Amino acid sequence: EAYYRPLVTLSLMLDAQWGGTAPWAYHLTNLILHLLVSCLVFLFFINIKYKRDLAFLFSLVFAVHPLLTDAVAWIPGRNDLLLAVFTLSSFIGFVRFIETKRWPYYWGHLVLFFLALLTKEAAIVLVPLVFFYLHFIAREKLFSFNGRLFAAGWLAAVVPWFLLRQAVLTNPLKMTVEETGKSLLQNLPVAVQYLGKIFLPFNLSVLPTIRDTSFVYGILSLCLLGLGWLLTKHKRHNFIFFGLFWSLLFVLPSLIINFSVIPTHLENRMYLPIIGVLLVLLEIEPVKNLNLRKRGALVYCTLLLAVLSSITLIYSGSFADRISFWQNAVRTSPHSPLAHRNLGAMYFLEGSPDKAEPEYRAALDLNPAEPMAHNNLGLIYMDQGKLSAAEIEFISELKVNPLYDNALFNLGLLYARQGRIGQAKDLWEKTLEVNPQYVDAQKYLRLIHDR
């Protein structure tokens, strides 16, 4: 209902063909894609005329930066990896065309832009970015021949994408202009937290929330950027604003969400926006005057890369398995009911109901209407033979989540164990009304009919 991202799905399907359900296959693809993007970042900086040694240094910073761990180590981060591949390639094609006037670059730009759209909706912001570059950096008029040419090409790419999306999403989620504006204003402070994680990546989380993420690092980072701005004598304002514009446009789509429904601001969403911040740094002294042929600068940069790599390696351990993942979520976002609920679910699956129960209770203390928490508690009590306590939990779940098929089925199972076959039959029939494909409900109803 919300996403039309066929290329992400296709990439996961291809992984499944050669890797089955083995996680290493999906992780390997993510790693290859990240290495490809890191190379494209280098080419991107080269094509917009930054010195080769600085372009290489900043592509290395991108490659090992801890904030990007989420996009690489977490399999669903694939969408941002693929988006970066197509977006950077498309932008490089655009720059090469306006410099060489060779048509393969133009067509390549459009094809890659279309593929970016099929990867993630945020690709649409490439249009204003190209216009900005064309007017303020390439110094062409907005309605020059190139401007009109690219506008026509984008229209030819966007219209079929939009029609395909409308055909697939038969009931897409919608937001009014007022809701969009309200969402942006509410979530804009997240941008400061994101900035802090770029410069001081010490408060990373697999499930970050606004409440549990410090603003201190972000404010310090803003101060550092402001100081760098003041110390820079020869400012290329057009490149600085291009970097800021790049970051802002790519981060804005992630802020147009209702955080009461999706109460997290995932770090993989900074995969492309961080490139804009790196652009700004390349324009600030003393960074832009770095001479990597000098021993002192080389040692400093090597230490920086070593520190970033170490943090990344340590943080990547949070993605090693499901328990590590949700333990990190609870530790870094203790006020997230989702984190507690899912850690409880992982403990339950691992056969540790004694650890699962307090996590479910913590989730319900934070949010009495937390979906699935009461149902999962009911499963624990039913396994322990505490049928009365289990019944209370299943009924509590259905009060807040009346169409939850698992809760309906489980309450029916409990009644069947108590010999209340009629009530069990009614609940399993309702389960199938909610989910006609619920196999266990079909099986138990067949057993009743065959008696």
Side-chain angles (χ1 to χ4, degrees), residues 225 228-229 232 240 279-289:
L225 274 179
W229 176 287
T232 302
I240 292 173
L279 272 171
V280 173
L281 284 176
L282 281 166
E283 292 296 325
I284 288 178
E285 296 174 359
V287 175
K288 70 176 183 179
N289 295 327

Side-chain angles (χ1 to χ4, degrees), residues 336-339 341-342 363-364 367-374 397 400:
S336 169
L338 174 64
R341 184 195 79 195
N342 283 1
L364 290 168
N367 177 20
E370 181 65 20
M372 296 185 280
H374 281 294
E397 180 69 45
V400 298

Side-chain angles (χ1 to χ4, degrees), residues 14-39:
L14 292 173
D15 283 343
Q17 294 303 307
W18 67 278
T21 58
W24 69 265
Y26 302 84
H27 286 302
L28 180 60
T29 300
N30 272 22
L31 185 60
I32 291 170
L33 287 171
H34 179 58
L35 292 171
L36 175 58
V37 174
S38 300
C39 294

Side-chain angles (χ1 to χ4, degrees), residues 73 236 363 393:
R236 295 199 300 177
E393 295 300 335

Side-chain angles (χ1 to χ4, degrees), residues 141-252:
K141 293 181 178 179
L142 286 179
F143 299 104
S144 64
F145 172 76
N146 280 337
R148 297 195 302 273
L149 183 68
F150 280 104
W154 294 327
L155 190 64
V158 170
V159 169
W161 165 74
F162 180 78
L163 293 176
L164 284 168
R165 188 175 186 275
Q166 290 296 104
V168 171
L169 301 182
T170 54
N171 186 30
L173 298 178
K174 297 177 181 178
M175 290 184 72
T176 64
V177 174
E178 182 181 354
E179 288 171 336
T180 301
K182 184 179 179 181
S183 177
L184 281 173
L185 286 175
Q186 278 183 332
N187 301 327
L188 203 55
V190 174
V192 178
Q193 295 179 341
Y194 278 144
L195 186 66
K197 293 182 179 186
I198 294 175
F199 286 91
L200 300 164
F202 307 122
N203 61 338
L204 303 177
S205 172
V206 301
L207 195 77
T209 62
I210 297 179
R211 180 177 180 180
D212 290 311
T213 302
S214 173
F215 281 95
V216 173
Y217 297 122
I219 294 169
L220 286 174
S221 300
L222 281 172
C223 293
L224 285 172
L225 274 179
L227 182 62
W229 176 287
L230 293 173
L231 293 176
T232 302
K233 296 177 182 178
H234 305 290
K235 300 181 181 72
R236 295 199 300 177
H237 291 96
N238 53 346
F239 277 87
I240 292 173
F241 284 119
F242 176 65
L244 293 173
F245 197 47
W246 178 289
S247 290
L248 182 63
L249 284 185
F250 276 114
V251 84
L252 277 180

